[in-house]
Amino acid sequence: PGSVVPAVRTAIAGIDPAIPLREATTGPRIVRAQTARIRFVAALLGGFAALGLVFAVSAVYGTLSIEVGRRVREVGLRMALGASTAKVLRRVVITGMAPVAIGAAAGSLAVLSIAPVLDAVLFQVDARDPFSLLTGIAVLFTAAVLGCALPAIRASRIEPAVALRTD
């Protein structure tokens, strides 16, 4: 598109030399310039959302690691009494996911209650859009399960005899 600018200038000057042609630009450049601020804000919010997700996963992981560390004897006793690895994994993940589920429900209610305010800053998306809400919850739950995975795997590998001897 930029290569036709001299030809356009010549054609316009041939029609009426009094028409000033200061700057010639392309349509995509105009759109990019007009949406630059919106794209910057979207990128900034996306970065903050990703950072928040990292913090949430770190919090779930840290909390669950401490909880599993405190319950080493209990997990060892369960395994000594015949609990399978799958049951130990399930128990640890359920313990970690309960607060996440409560937080997701509270967050969804908060989003729905302030939807009119959010509609003012969202572009072509309704704040009550079920697909967006469910996608956000699914991402949060996936991240939380990943945050639960390492402590759960560590708990399932506890040797019952060693766990029962620890203080």
Side-chain angles (χ1 to χ4, degrees), residues 2-4 19 21 23 40 44 52 56 73 84 121 125 134 138 148 160 162:
S3 64
V4 299
I19 296 176
L21 187 59
E23 183 182 339
F40 173 74
L44 192 64
R73 291 186 71 151
S84 67
V121 293
V125 177
L134 291 176
C148 293
V162 174

Side-chain angles (χ1 to χ4, degrees), residues 25-123:
T25 187
T26 62
R29 276 192 188 154
I30 293 171
V31 171
R32 234 185 352 263
Q34 290 179 345
T35 60
R37 184 172 176 220
I38 294 169
R39 286 184 290 115
F40 173 74
V41 170
L44 192 64
L45 290 176
F48 284 139
L51 191 62
L53 189 61
V54 168
F55 286 155
V57 170
S58 299
V60 168
Y61 171 76
T63 303
L64 223 55
S65 290
I66 291 169
E67 185 65 26
V68 167
R70 287 182 184 165
R71 297 172 68 183
V72 168
R73 291 186 71 151
E74 176 192 339
V75 171
L77 183 62
R78 287 179 187 270
M79 292 187 77
L81 294 174
S84 67
T85 302
K87 282 186 179 182
V88 172
L89 283 170
R90 192 174 326 119
R91 178 90 174 154
V92 172
V93 170
I94 288 172
T95 300
M97 292 302 291
V100 174
I102 293 168
S108 297
L109 291 174
V111 165
L112 293 174
S113 68
I114 63 167
V117 175
L118 291 175
D119 281 333
V121 293
L122 293 175
F123 181 70

